[in-house]
Amino acid sequence: MRLNGRRESNNVDDRRGQRRIGGIPMKAGGMSIGAIVIVGILTWIMGGNPLEVLTGSSGMMGGQEATASYTPSAQEEEMATFSRQILAATEDVWTEEFRKMGKIYRPPTLVLFTGAVQSGCGNASASTGPFYCSADEKLYIDLSFFEQMRQSMGAGGDFAYAYVIAHEVGHHVQHLLGVLDDAHSQMSQMSQSDANKVSVRIELQADFLAGVWGYHDNRLFQSLEEGDLEEAINAASKIGDDYLQKQAQGYVVPDAFNHGRSDQRMRWLKRGLTTGDLRQGDTFSMSYNSL
């Protein structure tokens, strides 16, 4: 991506180096890095409803946060700058798109953390992966996740990383438009199988919205370079329910899908990237089998 000279967002809460005291942080225990990544990705794509994931895990108990001596690496600082630039880019695009709808865009806050974090939706560790919390309108990222994407998933590249942030911002857009709350209200009254299907619709629309952002960011700033589209599509293919289930257990359980298959995630992301048209992102009206 071409980001030289692009502004950095001020809507960032940098909590890197903070550690929990007086409590028990969630840990990955003896899990391999591959297992940690699978758990992290599976949880990340639950970003539309993080409360269920965060409070249902062996989470942290009580405690307060304290700032320890922490010196980020040059690579981490580079990713922090990149994340602030991408967040600013989403602010520029969604402010304009909301204005077209006669609405005012209220940007979310990006929380950068290391190890563990307290959110409005509960406590989480780095293994939770990036997530959005509508209760406090913040998205949370441990920057080491991007390196895990590259090393363990083969899903590296700046536009792939931008897609991660834009997807979580997509959930914020859903929240501001009332889509997220309506969907969660419906899910609370459904069986798990039916609720999973609504979750798939939420996640695919967030993928679409990430694509819409990419389309308009490129229109405004000519930010995309050769290979960027392929990076994002490749990342989408690596976070489909079918792909992740096969990686984790060797087989798929369609009734347990709550994020979308790889082909669906790629298709909706690409639709947003190629059209930039919000009217084409209604994942809730069509039949489930047509998604």
Side-chain angles (χ1 to χ4, degrees), residues 156-171:
D158 51 6
F159 196 52
Y161 306 146
Y163 160 51
V164 170
I165 297 172
H167 174 94
E168 300 307 329
V169 173
H171 286 311

Side-chain angles (χ1 to χ4, degrees), residues 101-173:
M101 295 185 283
K103 301 177 182 294
I104 296 175
Y105 181 65
R106 185 173 63 250
T109 296
L110 170 64
V111 178
L112 301 178
F113 72 96
T114 50
V117 70
Q118 169 85 39
S119 81
C121 294
N123 301 303
S125 73
S127 62
T128 301
F131 65 93
Y132 171 71
C133 175
S134 60
D136 57 16
E137 297 190 349
K138 295 179 180 180
L139 48 142
Y140 296 78
I141 297 178
D142 184 315
L143 295 172
S144 65
F145 180 80
F146 295 127
E147 183 62 16
Q148 293 174 359
M149 283 179 64
R150 184 184 69 83
Q151 286 191 348
S152 300
M153 296 187 65
D158 51 6
F159 196 52
Y161 306 146
Y163 160 51
V164 170
I165 297 172
H167 174 94
E168 300 307 329
V169 173
H171 286 311
H172 179 65
V173 171

Side-chain angles (χ1 to χ4, degrees), residues 85-104:
Q85 287 179 312
I86 296 301
L87 184 65
T90 65
E91 293 166 356
D92 294 338
V93 167
W94 288 116
T95 294
E96 180 183 84
E97 292 304 300
F98 269 59
R99 185 182 299 118
K100 292 177 183 177
M101 295 185 283
K103 301 177 182 294
I104 296 175

